[in-house]
Structures are given as structure tokens and as C-alpha cells.
Amino acid sequence: MNTGNVRRQDLERCRSLREREKPSNSSLSKHLQKVYPIGIHKSTSSLTLSSLSLSQCSNDSSLNSCLSRWDRKVQASLHGLGSLEKREASVADVGKGSLDSRDGNLKRCHWITKDQVYVLFHDERWGVPVYDDSQLFELLALSGMLMDQNWTEILSRRELYREVFSRFDANVVTKMEEKKIIEISSNKKLMLAESRVRCIVDNARGILKIVKEFGSFSSYLWGYMNYRPNISRYRYPRNIPLRTPKAEAISKDLIRRGFRFVGPVIVYSFMQAAGMTIDHLIDCFRFVECVNLAENPCSLTNTAK
């Protein structure tokens, strides 16, 4: 057989194999656009990698194999999409409230959409260190909802969740009766399955046990951080991890203590929202503001918004 023909056939086989191994858009679509401010966006396409929730694996006996399988999907997706992010972040603009030359607005992290509730969450709360137990409980509960909803959907119902869960007072939530649990899960406005409601109640009980052991839920969580937020200095969305060793350690211990829907990706989403790690991109106007709050906690007014 002609050598040139053999080579062409080999190339065709390799190309076909690569196409079969690529993560399909349809297989990822159910997980895309879900999780909080973190992601890789392609401005000319609807394809977006936000994050893949691993929390459904939390209490599975095959946890390690499940996480490994999702890790491979995440890594493959990041590898395929990483080249899409080419925008350079100017270090000279950091902390100056720099303007986006396209529309004159303040520069924000590249993944922020135009949904007002999402923008406000990014501008006012995301990355701000939280030390109040009720607020930490709330953010943990909201992060767990990312398995079924995205941040915009969750935040639009935030006041409703605060109302039915008594502003996430763990002492009150643990006393929630069966009738109340069914009532909440039946409320179509809340979009919460019964399993999610029971999870929040169970996690409230876990928080009270932690409070007895550590004095507060805040002390327990911030102890993993040596009581100081981790300050990241990422220039591109693709640099932001989906999970970290600390998130894995917290997730593992929470699961050991009986918490549910607290897989390492969900825990890392929670850590970002609670300001335990500051992942605003360095050209985002909020980067220096949140760093200042982290370095000067006495100036932090930690009121819920």
C-alpha cells in the first residue's frame, strides 16, 4: 500500500479517536452555567464552564472513584477551553477601580453576567470574609443548592429562604417539625426538594454539635485557614481551581460529622462566597477592596445584605 495513503488513514483514525474522546457539549450542558462566580466564558458562544458539582458524591461509598471521574471531565473541559481566555489583566490597574474600555463600566471578574442580583452579589458580598455563624450557615446552605440551581436563581429567592429557615438560626432550624419540612418542600416558589430541606435541617444539627466542640461554627471553619483568608492573585478565570486541598479537608470532615451536600467543589464555592478565599481576578475593582477587608478585619461590618 502507498505510504502516503497509510499515513492519511492513520491520521484519520487518530482524528476520529480524538473527536470521540472530547467532552460533548450536550453531556456538560446540564452542569454548565450553575455554580457561582467562577468559570471560563467564550464570548462568541453559549458554551460556558462554570463548575461541576461533586456534592452528589459526598455520601457515596464510591466517593474517590466518583470524584476521580468528575475530575477527568473537568480537566478535559479546562484543557479544551483554556485557550479561549486571552485577555490580559493589567497589573497597573489593580485596585484603581479601572474602567472597562468596552462600555466604561467598572471592571469586574470576567464571568459576571448582567443579571442585577448576580452583579450585586459579586460587588457587595462575594469574597467578603464572614465570621457570623448564621451567615456562614446560610452561605453553606445556598452553596448546597448549586446542585440544582445557579447563583442567580438562588439569590433571587434568598429572602424567601431566610424567611422559611428563620434567617438560618441553627437553633431554630433544628427544631423544625415534619409538617414544616413538608410545607417548605411543597412550596413551588422555593424550588427545594424535600431532600434539600431535610439536608439543611440535618446540617443545622451538625452545626450545633460543632458549636459545642469549638465554641462556634466560625471558629471551626476559620481554624482551617489559620484565621486568615487565603488571598489569590489570579489573572485569568482558567487559573481558579474548582477545589483545593483545604476544601477537600473541610468537606471530608463535614461528611464525617454527618453533613450532606458538602462535596469539595460545593465547599470551595462556599469558601469563596464566605471570603475564606479571595478569588476576585486582580483586574476586578473588588480585588483590593476585599483584600483590605481580609487584612483589616476590624474595619469589617459584617451585616447580611
Side-chain angles (χ1 to χ4, degrees):
M1 184 180 293
N2 184 281
T3 302
N5 290 335
V6 172
R7 180 169 179 77
R8 280 195 296 273
Q9 291 176 6
D10 288 341
L11 289 173
E12 288 298 325
R13 281 196 295 270
C14 290
R15 186 178 297 110
S16 176
L17 180 60
R18 285 197 299 270
E19 289 298 323
R20 286 198 299 271
E21 290 178 343
K22 286 181 179 179
S24 66
N25 291 354
S26 60
S27 66
L28 288 173
S29 61
K30 68 180 68 176
H31 305 286
L32 303 183
Q33 309 251 5
K34 236 183 199 187
V35 181
Y36 74 121
I38 178 177
I40 292 174
H41 290 250
K42 184 178 181 181
S43 59
T44 57
S45 169
S46 61
L47 180 60
T48 302
L49 175 64
S50 291
S51 176
L52 305 182
S53 171
L54 308 187
S55 296
Q56 61 267 37
C57 307
S58 295
N59 300 313
D60 197 316
S61 59
S62 58
L63 173 65
N64 290 333
S65 61
C66 184
L67 294 179
S68 177
R69 183 167 64 253
W70 279 113
D71 276 349
R72 288 195 295 273
K73 286 191 176 184
V74 170
Q75 290 166 2
S77 302
L78 288 172
H79 178 75
L81 294 174
S83 60
L84 300 177
E85 284 297 332
K86 297 298 184 181
R87 286 178 287 185
E88 291 288 336
S90 173
V91 177
D93 285 339
V94 174
K96 295 182 179 180
S98 54
L99 296 180
D100 188 323
S101 59
R102 291 172 299 175
D103 56 14
N105 294 326
L106 286 172
K107 279 190 177 180
R108 295 180 171 89
C109 297
H110 297 170
W111 53 78
I112 296 303
T113 66
K114 293 183 179 180
D115 297 306
Q116 189 62 23
V117 66
Y118 191 54
V119 172
L120 288 175
F121 181 55
H122 168 273
D123 289 0
E124 297 177 357
R125 302 306 302 163
W126 196 71
V128 175
V130 175
Y131 302 100
D132 177 80
D133 278 10
S134 294
Q135 291 182 44
L136 289 168
F137 178 24
E138 176 184 348
L139 289 174
L140 184 63
L142 298 184
S143 297
M145 296 175 192
L146 291 167
M147 291 179 61
D148 303 309
Q149 308 176 55
N150 60 42
W151 268 122
T152 298
E153 294 168 332
I154 292 168
L155 293 170
S156 67
R157 303 184 182 99
R158 189 174 191 177
E159 288 304 320
L160 293 176
Y161 295 142
R162 286 174 171 173
E163 181 179 347
V164 298
F165 291 111
S166 303
R167 299 196 72 82
F168 292 91
D169 183 334
N171 290 287
V172 178
V173 175
T174 55
K175 299 175 183 177
M176 193 173 288
E177 298 179 350
E178 185 71 14
K179 181 180 178 181
K180 183 64 173 179
I181 293 175
I182 299 300
E183 178 185 326
I184 293 173
S185 60
S186 301
N187 189 332
K188 294 183 179 180
K189 292 182 180 180
L190 298 174
M191 297 296 289
L192 288 179
E194 184 179 328
S195 61
R196 298 293 185 269
V197 180
R198 294 189 184 279
C199 164
I200 292 172
V201 175
D202 290 343
N203 288 354
R205 296 190 181 108
I207 287 174
L208 292 187
K209 291 179 181 178
I210 287 176
V211 170
K212 288 183 179 180
E213 183 178 350
F214 293 87
S216 69
F217 189 41
S218 177
S219 294
Y220 163 77
L221 290 169
W222 283 98
Y224 280 95
M225 312 300 296
N226 293 322
Y227 303 96
R228 292 183 62 85
N230 174 66
I231 300 174
S232 306
R233 298 182 185 277
Y234 298 121
R235 302 181 69 186
Y236 309 108
R238 65 172 178 268
N239 297 142
I240 301 178
L242 298 174
R243 50 195 284 191
T244 64
K246 285 191 184 298
E248 291 173 355
I250 295 172
S251 171
K252 184 177 180 179
D253 193 60
L254 287 174
I255 293 168
R256 181 183 67 82
R257 293 173 180 274
F259 284 70
R260 294 189 291 142
F261 299 117
V262 288
V265 170
I266 288 299
V267 167
Y268 194 63
S269 301
F270 160 72
M271 292 172 66
Q272 290 176 312
M276 295 172 69
T277 182
I278 297 174
D279 281 356
H280 285 284
L281 299 181
I282 61 173
D283 64 345
C284 174
F285 84 98
R286 283 294 286 166
F287 174 77
V288 167
E289 293 179 359
C290 287
V291 168
N292 287 339
L293 290 174
E295 294 179 341
N296 302 283
C298 291
S299 66
L300 180 64
T301 302
N302 203 11
T303 56
K305 295 185 179 181

